């Protein structure tokens, strides 16, 4: 399962000439080379741009009709980064443009690659980044919606489902224990509460590893909750990589597991399993053709993890 590429990016040549010209104005030089980023699921432009004067920047650009909600997401990221300012771990914004249709944001180019969870050393550095971010951003340095508010009803999918539904039937244990799963998941709002800044989408493909330095990108979903929320939500994607530990073992590789109340973690895992599995059964989004597969694979890992925690008495 390739968790690092939605394969739906716009290329530099796909942009209207006026947008390319505006990006060159923002960058302060002509673009001589553009390399499309492999990671992530946004349908917009996400490219490393080499400038005629030798500098390199990273650009995101998306139009209103590029994909569902994509332009609003980039506007939200711009706003979040403006409020955060220059912080450890956060990508640095250089310039932005918004004409009501096309939204463009330029960032410092960060060398490196997404950490590979199957590599023990890279997984350890990635996990340390979750711990460092939680320590640095507790309490949150900015005001934001709570995790419960930001998630709205997206983690209530079991309440909207019923036995026999496609998302429920994807996992036999979930299907056989549906009422219990729904009850456990129902506490996710209280379980996830806290005063830490939560990235909200902190998978490996939203990190860049350069030696021992980690830079975190895509600050679209920031909110406030428990400091262990990001790591808990990341575990299902981490465990998609060959050679990684079982979900519970992977979770406990982080010191964040020691501060997370067991029943609260289990509740969030149950709710996340509902989101992933029920979402994966929805129609494919043409602009994001691999998203449903990615949701299904994460949902199956989350379901396996939930089963192990319930059977271990951690619910």
């Amino acid at each position: 399962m390739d968790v690092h590429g939605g394969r739906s990016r716009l290329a530099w040549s796909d942009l209207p000439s006026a947008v390319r010209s505006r990006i060159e104005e923002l960058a302060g030089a002509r673009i001589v080379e553009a390399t499309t980023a492999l990671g992530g699921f946004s349908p917009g432009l996400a490219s490393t741009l080499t400038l005629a004067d030798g500098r390199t920047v990273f650009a995101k650009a998306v139009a209103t009709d590029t994909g569902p909600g994509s332009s609003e997401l980039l506007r939200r990221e711009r706003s979040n980064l403006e409020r955060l300012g220059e912080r450890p771990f956060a990508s640095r914004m250089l310039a932005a443009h918004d004409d009501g249709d096309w939204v463009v944001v330029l960032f410092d180019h960060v060398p490196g690659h997404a950490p590979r969870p199957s590599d023990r050393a890279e997984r350890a550095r990635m996990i340390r980044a979750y711990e460092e971010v939680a320590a640095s951003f507790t309490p949150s340095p900015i005001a934001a919606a709570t995790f419960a508010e930001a998630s709205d009803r997206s983690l209530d999918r079991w309440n909207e489902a019923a036995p026999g539904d496609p998302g429920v039937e994807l996992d036999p244990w979930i299907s056989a224990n549906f009422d219990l799963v729904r009850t456990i998941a129902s506490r996710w709002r209280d379980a996830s509460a806290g005063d830490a800044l939560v990235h909200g989408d902190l998978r490996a493909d939203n990190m860049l590893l350069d030696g021992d330095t980690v830079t975190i990108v895509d600050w679209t979903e920031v909110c406030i909750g428990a400091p262990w929320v990001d790591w808990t939500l990341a575990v299902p994607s981490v465990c998609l990589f060959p050679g990684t530990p079982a979900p519970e073992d992977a979770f406990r590789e982080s010191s964040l597991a020691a501060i997370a109340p067991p029943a609260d973690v289990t509740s969030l895992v149950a709710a996340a399993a509902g989101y992933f599995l029920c979402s994966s059964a929805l129609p494919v989004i043409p602009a994001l053709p691999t998203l449903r597969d990615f949701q299904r694979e994460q949902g199956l890992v989350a379901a396996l993890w939930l089963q192990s925690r319930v059977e271990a008495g951690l619910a």
Side-chain angles (χ1 to χ4, degrees), residues 199-277:
H199 179 279
D201 194 25
L202 194 48
R203 303 183 307 267
D205 56 308
N206 280 336
M207 294 183 177
L208 289 169
L209 179 62
D210 181 26
D212 193 50
T213 301
V214 173
T215 301
I216 294 169
V217 302
D218 288 356
W219 294 80
T220 300
E221 307 294 340
V222 298
C223 52
I224 296 175
W228 46 266
V229 164
D230 274 330
W231 174 233
T232 300
L233 295 178
V235 167
S237 65
V238 167
C239 294
L240 293 180
F241 286 80
T244 51
E248 184 65 19
D249 293 333
F251 179 65
R252 293 186 180 280
E253 287 185 339
S254 172
S255 62
L256 292 169
I259 66 168
D264 289 349
V265 173
T266 305
S267 180
L268 185 57
V269 172
Y275 169 75
F276 288 133
L277 291 176

Side-chain angles (χ1 to χ4, degrees), residues 88-90 125-139 141 196-199 202 207 214-216 219 227 230 256:
F89 314 108
R125 182 62 189 97
M126 178 186 72
I127 289 172
R128 194 163 83 248
Y130 283 94
E131 297 163 352
E132 291 166 346
V133 168
S136 296
F137 290 153
T138 304
L197 185 70
V198 174
H199 179 279
L202 194 48
M207 294 183 177
V214 173
T215 301
I216 294 169
W219 294 80
D230 274 330
L256 292 169

Side-chain angles (χ1 to χ4, degrees), residues 4 13 21 36 42 44 67 90 94 103 135 159 176 184 240 244:
H4 287 325
S13 59
S21 295
T36 300
S42 167
L94 301 175
V103 184
N159 288 342
I184 293 171
L240 293 180
T244 51

Side-chain angles (χ1 to χ4, degrees), residues 95-115:
H97 161 81
D98 188 344
D99 62 12
D101 181 14
W102 279 93
V103 184
V104 175
V105 182
L106 298 188
F107 300 87
D108 255 350
H109 169 64
V110 179
H113 63 275

Side-chain angles (χ1 to χ4, degrees), residues 110-216:
V110 179
H113 63 275
R116 296 164 293 195
S118 53
D119 181 298
R120 183 179 296 236
E122 292 193 5
R123 185 172 74 250
R125 182 62 189 97
M126 178 186 72
I127 289 172
R128 194 163 83 248
Y130 283 94
E131 297 163 352
E132 291 166 346
V133 168
S136 296
F137 290 153
T138 304
S140 173
I142 63 172
T146 66
F147 177 75
E149 291 167 341
S151 302
D152 193 21
R153 297 180 60 189
S154 63
L155 293 177
D156 289 326
R157 295 297 177 83
W158 293 137
N159 288 342
E160 302 163 2
D165 285 357
V168 177
E169 295 303 309
L170 281 170
D171 183 83
W173 186 87
I174 294 283
S175 178
N177 296 274
F178 180 71
D179 289 341
L180 174 63
V181 169
R182 183 160 54 187
T183 298
I184 293 171
S186 66
R187 290 188 52 255
W188 71 267
R189 287 179 173 79
D190 290 338
S192 63
D195 64 349
L197 185 70
V198 174
H199 179 279
D201 194 25
L202 194 48
R203 303 183 307 267
D205 56 308
N206 280 336
M207 294 183 177
L208 289 169
L209 179 62
D210 181 26
D212 193 50
T213 301
V214 173
T215 301
I216 294 169

